[in-house]
Structures are given as C-alpha cells and as structure tokens.
Amino acid sequence: MATVPRQFPRRSPRQSSRHATHPVDELLPIPKLALYGFQHVLAFYAAAVIVPVLLGNALGLSRQELVHLINADLLTCGVASIIQAVGVWKVGARLPLVQGVTFTAVSPMIAIGLGAGGGTAGLLVVYGAVITAGIATFVFAPLFSKLVKYFPPVVIGTILTIIGITLIPVALQDAAGGAHLIGTPAYGAPKNLAYALGTLLFILVLVRVGKPFLSSLAVLLGLVAGTTVAWLCGDVDFGAVGESDWFGVTTPFHYGLPRFELLPIAAMLVVMLITMVETTGDVYAIGEITRKKVDADTVARALRADGVATVLGGVLNSFPYVAFAENIGLVRMSKVMSRYVIVAAGLFMVVLGLLPKAGSLVASVPHPVLGGAAVSMFGIVAAVGVQILGKADLREERNTLILAVSLGAALLPTTVTPFFDRMPDDVRAVLNSGITLGALTAITLNLLFNVFTSRSTMEIDWDEVDAEGDGDIGAVAY
C-alpha cells in the first residue's frame, strides 16, 4: 500500500512507495493529536448532549438526574470512539469514526419511557431494550455485513444524503438561537444569525486562504472565535461552570436494574436495524473520503463496535450508539484522516464525562456559533451521499424512483407532524424519524426493484475510486 503525503499532490509510484503508512494509520505528534481531537469534541459536543437532554426533559427527570445522563453519555461516547478507532479483536473498524448516540432512537426511547410511566422507572425499561438491542447487533453483525451487496450506491448514497438533509435543519435551528427559543422573539433574532453567519464565514475564509495547518483547524478556530465575539458582546454565560462539580463518576445501573419488556425490545431492534444501515453508510463514506478500502469484514467490525457500545450504554445509563455523520464531514473538511485523532477525541470525552465542570465550559459555546459551524459539516455529509450517488446509474428509472421517493419519505415526519400524531404509540416510535423512514423506504424499494427481480445491483467499485483519487482528499494505490 502506498500513499501520497499530507498535502496529497500526485506522485509517481516510485515516490509513493517511500510512504508506506496510510493517512488513516498515521500517528501524528501529540500536540496535533490534541488540537485535532479537541476540534472533533467541539464539533460533536452539542449533538452528543442533545439526546440525553431531550429524553430527560421528556421523561420529567430532575436536574441532577439530567446532569448524570449527560456525564454518562460523554463517558460512553469516549470509550466507544476509542474502541471503534483502535479496534479490539474483531470489534472496531479502525477508521476515524466518532461514536455518538443515534438520533434515530430519540422518539422510540421517549415513547418507551413514557409508556412505562416516565421518570427513572421509564428509563429502566429503556435500558432493558437498549441492552438487548446491543447484544443483537453484536451477534448479527457478521450476517448483516454479508448483506452489503444489497446496499448498492443508490441505497448508501440516498441514506447519507437523507442524514445530511435531515440534520441541516438542526444546525439551522441552532443558528437561529436553538430549538428551546422557538416561539419567543429571540428565535431568529438578527444577532443570532450574525453569530452563525460570522462563524461560517470565518471557517470558509480559513479554508480558502489559510495554510494547510490553519485550514485543518478551521472548525475549531471558528468555534473559538465565534464564542469569543459572543462573550465580548455579553452573550455567553459561564455561570453554569462555577456551579458544576469538579468530579463525577458514572456508576453502572445508577437508576436500578433494567427491566426487559417485549414490545420496547422489538421497537429498539427496529431502531438498531436502521442504525446498522446508517453505520454501513458511514463506514463507506469515511472509506470514500480517506481512500481506505472497505469490505464486509470492515463493516462487521464497525457494527460489532456499535453493539458493544450500545450494551455499554445500557449498563452505564446511556443509549444506543452509531458512527456520527457530522464528524465524517469534519474529516473531509480538515483533511486530517488519522484514526488516532479520534482516540484523542475519545480521551477528551472521557475526561469531560468525569469532569462536569469541564463539560459545562464546552457547553457554554453559544447555539448560534455551533449552528454556523454545523451547517458546513452536515452539508458535507449530504455532499458525500451525492458523491456516492454519482456511482449509481440514475438514468435508470428504478434507481431514480428509489432516490426520489426516499427523499420524500424522509421529509414527511418534519413537514406533516399531525399525520404521525394519529398513529399508535408503538408505530409512531419507529416511524416518526426522517432518517428511519427514509432509510426503510430506500431499502424496501431497492429490494422490490433490484433484488427480488434478480436485477444486478452495482456495488461501489473501489478500484475505480482509487484510480480517480482527486487532489483534495488524496489517492491511495493498493
């Protein structure tokens, strides 16, 4: 295997042969690992804490219980990311993938928890379903990885495009001030949009005119600059930092032993099926970005890591885990592909999970600043999906319909919410998610149009990908 250097200009085979380490396996100096890792944490943090915040508020947890959920989530995110990046036995893809709580599980977990009475009693039923689903994911990972041939570029590309498109509104809500301000005069205030736009423009300028090192830190520097400006304008409150404890340890089964009930387990199994498809898409996306060849074994190892992380989440009072798409966008933007950067990010997350005061400091980054940075990263996820769709023959009417109908289905939950309000709770828990509904639609239509009809499906041609390596992400010869 031979690679081009960090700037990724083209070289002759003789020149390239002297560089035997793939960028994914490159061990950077510790200062760079720390900077790039912390950038991933900042890009990831808001999305990492939003799931426990949404669930905790929906179930009526106290502030102390909610803080514990956040700490448990961060700690488990860190451990799971390290396992995914480093790899232990046949667990972990050994790729620069950050693990985080899947948004797909939010609505089902809220429905399960409320159905069990809410509060900590509801959490116990949620954790029983989470642990069971995690075990199932680990066990069926090898079988699922062999089904990759049924997920051609039109399916993987559609799912990634849907993930990006459905996440962009989350970033735009942050840019407007945050979902918690909806319905108030502050939501969409010019000041919030100015912070978001200023952060985004700062990032774009660094990427356009900055030297490679500064360009690779564009998101981190954008978040720091945006927060500094907001602080100087009096719009950053560090009061919560002083009120937070210095040290807090997450103990297993903090709320009590989990309860295992059939219907909640069934709902969570459906969630994990979608999560497995999402992780498969993310693994191929990071392979596309880093020019690291992905096969069924890579997918199986990534899925096992999801299963282990999900079981660990249920034990440590957290939730189901998946490879985080927004950090894939950051890898593409920064061009820093080392998986050891993710290890550094994982260590930061473990520390934040043990130090509530440090976590509160990171949480002080204003929503509009986070939104401005997230717009670019979520958009890149969608762009990677479009890039993979380019490998599908969209002149073929069936492939076009798979993409078109799946996009429409993905937008349904956010545009016609009353439709889902009239559904039974168990059905709504599964389908009231754009990512879930869009992914299920793409998978089902591909089976009907391309699999059950014995029509050949096009798989991603990695030899062609390698030959077409472009200058901004480098090429690898195998």
Side-chain angles (χ1 to χ4, degrees):
M1 186 189 303
T3 68
V4 293
R6 173 58 49 192
Q7 290 79 12
F8 302 111
R10 294 186 179 276
R11 292 188 173 222
S12 67
R14 179 176 300 178
Q15 288 174 312
S16 298
S17 64
R18 293 195 292 268
H19 300 269
T21 302
H22 193 285
V24 167
D25 301 313
E26 183 181 359
L27 182 60
L28 303 177
I30 291 179
K32 288 188 176 182
L33 285 177
L35 278 174
Y36 294 140
F38 192 63
Q39 179 174 235
H40 272 282
V41 173
L42 285 180
F44 159 93
Y45 189 88
V49 301
I50 193 63
V51 173
V53 169
L54 290 174
L55 181 64
N57 289 336
L59 298 187
L61 300 183
S62 67
R63 183 180 182 279
Q64 184 178 2
E65 290 167 340
L66 183 57
V67 169
H68 188 87
L69 277 186
I70 294 173
N71 289 342
D73 179 27
L74 289 171
L75 176 66
T76 313
C77 285
V79 175
S81 297
I82 293 171
I83 292 173
Q84 187 72 276
V86 173
V88 179
W89 183 59
K90 295 182 179 181
V91 179
R94 297 179 176 88
L95 291 170
L97 292 168
V98 171
Q99 296 292 105
V101 178
T102 174
F103 288 99
T104 307
V106 174
S107 295
M109 288 192 300
I110 291 176
I112 291 170
L114 291 177
T120 56
L123 277 180
L124 298 181
V125 179
V126 169
Y127 290 143
V130 167
I131 292 172
T132 306
I135 295 172
T137 301
F138 183 90
V139 171
F140 288 105
L143 174 62
F144 190 89
S145 68
K146 297 183 186 302
L147 302 178
V148 168
K149 63 182 179 180
Y150 298 123
F151 300 100
V154 67
V155 174
I156 298 296
T158 296
I159 292 174
L160 283 172
T161 303
I162 286 171
I163 292 172
I165 289 175
T166 53
L167 288 177
I168 286 174
V170 177
L172 294 177
Q173 281 188 347
D174 276 336
H180 63 288
L181 294 180
I182 293 177
T184 68
Y187 187 71
K191 178 174 61 176
N192 293 334
L193 297 178
Y195 288 144
L197 183 60
T199 301
L200 179 58
L201 289 177
F202 187 85
I203 292 171
L204 294 176
V205 168
L206 283 181
V207 171
R208 176 64 181 84
V209 303
K211 294 182 178 180
F213 179 70
L214 284 178
S215 178
S216 65
L217 290 172
V219 174
L220 172 61
L221 295 177
L223 291 171
V224 172
T227 302
T228 300
V229 172
W231 176 69
L232 292 174
C233 295
D235 291 320
V236 178
D237 181 13
F238 292 110
V241 178
E243 297 174 1
S244 300
D245 295 330
W246 277 105
F247 187 73
V249 179
T250 297
T251 55
F253 305 122
H254 174 77
Y255 301 103
L257 293 178
R259 291 167 49 195
F260 299 89
E261 297 184 5
L262 185 58
L263 286 178
I265 289 174
M268 197 57 62
L269 287 175
V270 174
V271 168
M272 291 309 294
L273 173 63
I274 303 304
T275 297
M276 292 169 80
V277 177
E278 185 179 344
T279 291
T280 300
D282 289 340
V283 170
Y284 275 109
I286 202 68
E288 179 90 355
I289 290 170
T290 62
R291 305 299 176 186
K292 185 79 168 178
K293 192 167 185 176
V294 170
D295 54 20
D297 182 63
T298 308
V299 173
R301 287 188 276 112
L303 294 175
R304 287 194 191 98
D306 278 358
V308 169
T310 299
V311 173
L312 188 63
V315 172
L316 293 179
N317 321 295
S318 193
F319 312 104
Y321 284 85
V322 68
F324 243 42
E326 45 265 65
N327 290 81
I328 294 175
L330 181 55
V331 172
R332 175 67 177 267
M333 180 177 290
S334 68
K335 303 184 183 69
V336 178
M337 305 177 188
S338 172
R339 58 192 172 104
Y340 296 104
V341 169
I342 306 304
V343 175
L347 292 175
F348 275 122
M349 284 186 274
V350 169
V351 171
L352 289 174
L354 297 174
L355 300 175
K357 193 177 289 293
S360 295
L361 180 63
V362 178
S364 299
V365 177
H367 283 276
V369 174
L370 284 171
V375 165
S376 61
M377 292 185 294
F378 293 166
I380 284 177
V381 174
V384 172
V386 173
Q387 182 177 342
I388 293 178
L389 281 171
K391 301 180 183 302
D393 185 7
L394 294 181
R395 293 171 299 181
E396 167 59 53
E397 183 180 6
R398 298 187 181 193
N399 287 338
T400 303
L401 282 173
I402 291 172
L403 172 60
V405 177
S406 300
L407 288 175
L411 295 176
L412 183 60
T414 56
T415 54
V416 193
T417 53
F419 176 76
F420 293 89
D421 292 339
R422 295 181 173 91
M423 288 184 174
D425 290 343
D426 293 337
V427 177
R428 186 170 68 248
V430 175
L431 297 182
N432 193 15
S433 163
I435 296 174
T436 302
L437 194 56
L440 281 175
T441 303
I443 294 169
T444 302
L445 290 179
N446 181 65
L447 289 174
L448 292 174
F449 286 170
N450 295 329
V451 178
F452 294 157
T453 56
S454 300
R455 297 176 76 251
S456 60
T457 58
M458 173 186 170
E459 298 183 25
I460 295 178
D461 186 347
W462 288 102
D463 293 332
E464 180 182 343
V465 170
D466 297 338
E468 293 176 351
D470 50 89
D472 68 328
I473 50 182
V476 180
Y478 292 89

